[in-house]
Amino acid sequence: MLCRKSKWMLAACVALALSWLSAVPVAAQTFYICEGSNTTTASQLDFTSGQLNAVSIDSITLSVPARQRYVGGDLSMLIRYEEQKAQFKDAQGNDITDLLNFVREQGWNTVRVRLFVDPSKDSDKAVVQDLDYVKSLGRRIKAAGLLLMLDFHYSDTWADPGKQWTPDSWKTLSDAQLMTQLYDYTKDCLQQLTAAGAAPDFIQTGNEISYGMLWGTQAQAGNNQNNRCYTNSPAVNWTRFFNLLKKAGQACREVCPRAKIIIHSERVPNTGVLTDFYDRLRNASVDYDIIGLSYYPYFHGKLAQLESALKALAGKNYGKPIQIVETGYPWKWAVQGTTVDYTSTYPYSNAGQKQFTADLIDLLKKYPQVNGLSWWYAEANAKGCTGNLNSGWYNASLFDNETGRALDALYQLKAFK
């Protein structure tokens, strides 16, 4: 909401607000010019150039509706796909010249990007997102009128429930030094992103951290079992973990006070472990805003299992919105490691993937606490690739690797809004 106030506030407010206004598409929510009892819709404002085309506004404040929903996907590999000449097309086969603008036109309002400390330590072709990479992609995301969800991995490689390895350059630090390093690193990244025009709107302080983070290095794994956080782990393990989260959160509040902090778990299959995790966060007074979940039906169970998890979280009254920050479903064949066969309901096909997406959205909209949905690795597309991304397809993306065409599920996602 845009409101008239005293003129002396103009210079201070406009600079702050413009970055937000240019980052939030009008289609996602309604803005108003307010003066007394008169209101004018935001259609009179020019958001496309990042300039506020309204001469009589004295100050600006931004208010997001309480029931605003956020929908989009993780596009962390977009730059690499562009470098390798991937051919993105719409469902009719027309060339997509700018994928970010295209997804915004399909109703997306949020894009997620992961960040590694030093991805050069890993040879995985998808572990490439260092700070410079994220600044470049993040700047483009914001310029396209989309919100940016930043996913700190706090590792040189993939961080997930079974791999929370401390970056090599941090491995000799004591716990006290590690707290300081985590704070300094988080703060520096956010400062650099902000200066680059890529300030995040959502920040994950860790990726799938159900069992803690920064355990040590993989080579030291046998000596670092005590850094893991299970339900039966000693209290000192959990205290260490929560202190790390608090230092990361402190940096987020200092640099990006408007951003929403997400704490991310993937324990949908085990609601007892899931609620125990968020109970402990509440009891430890960890500062965060949003419960973030991964939900992959082929790993985590059918939609009924997700609903059980949502009911369990709702029953706890945590007072936090819930977002599905990672999801996906195959369109041609099973994802490697699949443990749940859902093909009797959702065949591996364009139509099956679309129907899964539609039914997932119908389920999520039953729960008012759920305000976010993000498809993981949505941009995977081998069509036309000239490098190492043309093989070993991830087959749960939103593009056909053989034709480059957008699949129907991409268009279906806007129904969540």
Side-chain angles (χ1 to χ4, degrees):
M1 183 170 287
L2 311 178
C3 301
R4 176 178 291 277
K5 291 186 180 178
S6 59
K7 292 185 177 180
W8 65 267
M9 298 174 63
L10 176 61
C13 293
V14 169
L16 176 63
L18 280 178
S19 64
W20 276 81
L21 293 173
S22 63
V24 182
V26 175
Q29 56 205 35
T30 304
F31 295 94
Y32 299 95
I33 299 296
C34 306
E35 183 174 359
S37 61
N38 298 321
T39 62
T40 305
T41 65
S43 60
Q44 297 186 13
L45 303 181
D46 175 15
F47 292 97
T48 59
S49 66
Q51 300 297 316
L52 185 61
N53 185 23
V55 297
S56 61
I57 307 304
D58 294 317
S59 70
I60 302 169
T61 58
L62 175 65
S63 176
V64 177
R67 293 300 175 91
Q68 169 69 31
R69 291 195 181 103
Y70 305 94
V71 65
D74 190 309
L75 301 181
S76 296
M77 286 294 289
L78 178 57
I79 290 176
R80 285 292 185 265
Y81 277 104
E82 291 172 337
E83 290 173 345
Q84 296 191 20
K85 310 301 181 184
Q87 298 172 18
F88 291 98
K89 301 176 183 294
D90 66 16
Q92 288 72 46
N94 301 306
D95 289 339
I96 297 171
T97 57
D98 187 324
L99 187 61
L100 293 173
N101 284 331
F102 174 76
V103 296
R104 188 196 66 240
E105 290 166 358
Q106 310 319 314
W108 292 26
N109 55 20
T110 306
V111 171
R112 183 174 183 256
V113 179
R114 56 184 171 268
L115 172 61
F116 300 100
V117 176
D118 184 3
S120 70
K121 300 289 186 180
D122 196 304
S123 61
D124 191 306
K125 62 188 178 183
V127 179
V128 297
Q129 295 79 15
D130 61 13
L131 183 55
D132 286 340
Y133 182 109
V134 175
K135 283 192 289 186
S136 178
L137 182 54
R139 184 187 305 113
R140 290 174 54 191
I141 290 166
K142 301 299 289 281
L146 294 157
L147 300 175
L148 171 61
M149 181 183 295
L150 178 66
D151 178 17
F152 277 108
H153 272 243
Y154 294 132
S155 182
D156 294 333
T157 186
W158 296 111
D160 59 40
K163 302 188 298 292
Q164 293 288 338
W165 308 121
T166 303
D168 279 0
S169 60
W170 302 2
K171 65 183 180 182
T172 61
L173 301 179
S174 67
D175 281 351
Q177 291 169 328
L178 191 60
M179 305 288 172
T180 300
Q181 177 64 32
L182 183 63
Y183 167 82
D184 289 343
Y185 168 77
T186 303
K187 187 170 184 176
D188 178 62
C189 287
L190 295 177
Q191 288 173 330
Q192 290 198 46
L193 286 165
T194 299
D201 304 283
F202 301 96
I203 306 171
Q204 284 187 224
T205 50
N207 185 77
E208 294 186 338
I209 52 174
S210 303
Y211 304 122
M213 62 186 189
L214 296 164
W215 293 340
T217 65
Q218 189 168 6
Q220 300 169 324
N223 298 321
N224 283 273
Q225 296 295 328
N226 288 336
N227 287 340
R228 291 162 171 76
C229 296
Y230 303 116
T231 54
N232 60 350
S233 294
V236 65
N237 297 28
W238 288 96
T239 298
R240 174 187 181 273
F241 173 41
F242 294 148
N243 285 339
L244 288 166
L245 283 178
K246 289 176 180 179
K247 295 301 289 186
Q250 179 186 347
C252 295
R253 296 301 191 206
E254 290 175 1
V255 182
C256 298
R258 287 179 176 267
K260 302 300 183 184
I261 298 173
I262 300 172
I263 303 293
H264 179 198
S265 172
E266 82 317 320
R267 287 291 81 205
V268 166
N270 191 326
T271 57
V273 174
L274 182 68
T275 54
D276 177 77
F277 178 77
Y278 288 104
D279 283 348
R280 291 174 186 268
L281 290 171
R282 177 165 58 185
N283 294 339
S285 299
V286 174
D287 178 23
Y288 73 104
D289 303 295
I290 295 170
I291 292 171
L293 301 177
S294 290
Y295 170 63
Y296 297 100
Y298 45 88
F299 294 146
H300 298 145
K302 298 181 179 181
L303 286 170
Q305 182 59 42
L306 174 60
E307 183 157 29
S308 294
L310 295 176
K311 285 180 178 178
L313 291 170
K316 285 289 189 172
N317 297 315
Y318 293 117
K320 312 284 186 185
I322 300 168
Q323 294 193 9
I324 308 301
V325 297
E326 293 186 25
T327 194
Y329 192 77
W331 57 271
K332 197 160 190 175
W333 55 67
V335 170
Q336 184 176 5
T338 290
T339 56
V340 178
D341 185 345
Y342 217 172
T343 54
S344 61
T345 305
Y346 306 112
Y348 294 148
S349 65
N350 183 22
Q353 186 191 59
K354 178 185 177 181
Q355 190 60 54
F356 164 76
T357 307
D359 290 349
L360 171 64
I361 289 170
D362 286 344
L363 170 61
L364 297 180
K365 291 178 80 170
K366 290 168 53 179
Y367 292 86
Q369 301 94 333
V370 180
N371 73 353
L373 175 60
S374 180
W375 196 280
W376 190 74
Y377 209 171
E379 78 282 29
N381 170 27
K383 173 63 175 177
C385 278
T386 58
N388 61 357
L389 298 175
N390 65 4
S391 63
W393 301 348
Y394 176 64
N395 195 52
S397 69
L398 295 177
F399 288 89
D400 186 320
N401 284 285
E402 296 178 319
T403 68
R405 293 192 180 199
L407 299 167
D408 289 347
L410 187 152
Y411 299 92
Q412 185 66 36
L413 282 170
K414 64 179 177 291
F416 180 67
K417 291 164 63 179

